[in-house]
Amino acid sequence: MTIGVLALQGDFDAHRRRLEELGADVVLVKKPEQLDAIDGLVIPGGESGTFLKLLGDAGFDKLKEFVHAKPTFGTCAGAILLATEVENPKQKGLGALNIRIRRNAYGRQIDSSIREGKFLNGDRRESPLEMVFIRAPKIEHIGEGVEIIATEGSDPVAVRQGKTMAATFHPELSDDPRIHQAFLELCGTDTPVRRR
Ligand code: GLN
């Protein structure tokens, strides 16, 4: 199983290291055609507007096709890209996660922070999880078919829909490997792939 990390911009290297520590074969994806050779993809944090510019229309379309067919995990800017609806400002999304998400939702003073939230394990038991938020977006609305897999206070901060996963924080910057582990498990499951 080969996992790609989208390496156009942002903190892709920390994801690469974490996935390799967990035993995955990782390739850095810099060209759209590389998507044909991977089994799952991580879209890292960065600046979602810049990602859209760097992808261009053809790259966006190719990525959209990928995320509707194969497991994908987006963190922060990656979560924004995967959403169906993006606010502040409005921008297009890949539509793989039925959520509305607001960019830079925490305001200036607390725009970056480390907080303790709750991770819902596979058996739905809660356990504490360190979460690094950097100019984080907020998931404002959860649509049908979306499952919450982590919360911080009353906010959902990690979600899953079919083979798509997203976190508004940066699990690659904490020592805890459980979120990446959950994604690798998702890559290995045989849940039917969603089609839209
Ligand atoms: N603020 C960024 C955006 O709106 C996301 C920040 C991040 O990825 N750490 O795209």
Side-chain angles (χ1 to χ4, degrees), residues 44-49 75-78 80 91 103-104 134-137 170:
E47 206 59 43
S48 55
T75 57
C76 206
I80 296 168
Q91 66 187 24
R103 295 179 63 188
N104 303 312
I134 303 170
R135 302 187 64 223
H170 287 262

Side-chain angles (χ1 to χ4, degrees), residues 2 10-11 19 27 31 40 43 54-55 61 72 88-89 112 120 122 139 153 158 163 167:
T2 304
D11 65 340
L19 292 164
V27 291
K31 297 231 156 42
I43 307 180
L54 293 173
L55 283 165
D61 290 346
T72 307
N88 191 38
S112 298
L120 302 166
I139 298 170
K163 286 190 178 274

Side-chain angles (χ1 to χ4, degrees), residues 7 26 30 46 48 58 74 78 84 87 108 119 136 170 178 182 184 190:
V26 183
K30 294 179 195 256
S48 55
T84 42
E87 301 278 356
R108 274 241 176 110
F119 178 51
H170 287 262
R178 286 178 294 166
L184 290 178
D190 50 16

Side-chain angles (χ1 to χ4, degrees), residues 122-193:
D123 56 8
R124 309 311 287 163
R125 260 185 307 127
E126 290 180 357
S127 55
L129 180 70
E130 177 185 280
M131 298 172 177
V132 179
F133 292 91
I134 303 170
R135 302 187 64 223
K138 196 176 262 190
I139 298 170
E140 289 188 325
H141 176 75
I142 302 253
E144 222 184 286
V146 180
E147 179 194 346
I148 297 171
I149 54 177
T151 54
E152 193 280 318
S154 56
D155 296 330
V157 291
V159 292
R160 185 179 79 92
Q161 181 176 13
K163 286 190 178 274
T164 310
M165 233 178 96
T168 60
F169 57 96
H170 287 262
E172 76 286 6
L173 299 181
S174 295
D175 287 334
D176 195 321
R178 286 178 294 166
I179 294 277
H180 286 84
Q181 185 84 61
F183 177 59
L184 290 178
E185 279 163 21
L186 196 61
C187 292
T189 60
D190 50 16
T191 324
V193 174

Side-chain angles (χ1 to χ4, degrees), residues 67-123:
V67 304
H68 284 275
K70 297 261 178 80
T72 307
F73 174 35
T75 57
C76 206
I80 296 168
L81 287 175
L82 287 169
T84 42
E85 213 186 324
V86 181
E87 301 278 356
N88 191 38
K90 280 198 187 304
Q91 66 187 24
K92 64 178 177 178
L94 295 161
L97 274 177
N98 191 6
I99 57 171
R100 182 173 74 239
I101 195 162
R102 171 168 291 269
R103 295 179 63 188
N104 303 312
Y106 290 89
R108 274 241 176 110
Q109 272 149 334
I110 50 161
D111 71 355
S112 298
S113 60
I114 300 177
R115 285 174 254 167
E116 188 182 289
K118 290 192 179 106
F119 178 51
L120 302 166
N121 297 323
D123 56 8

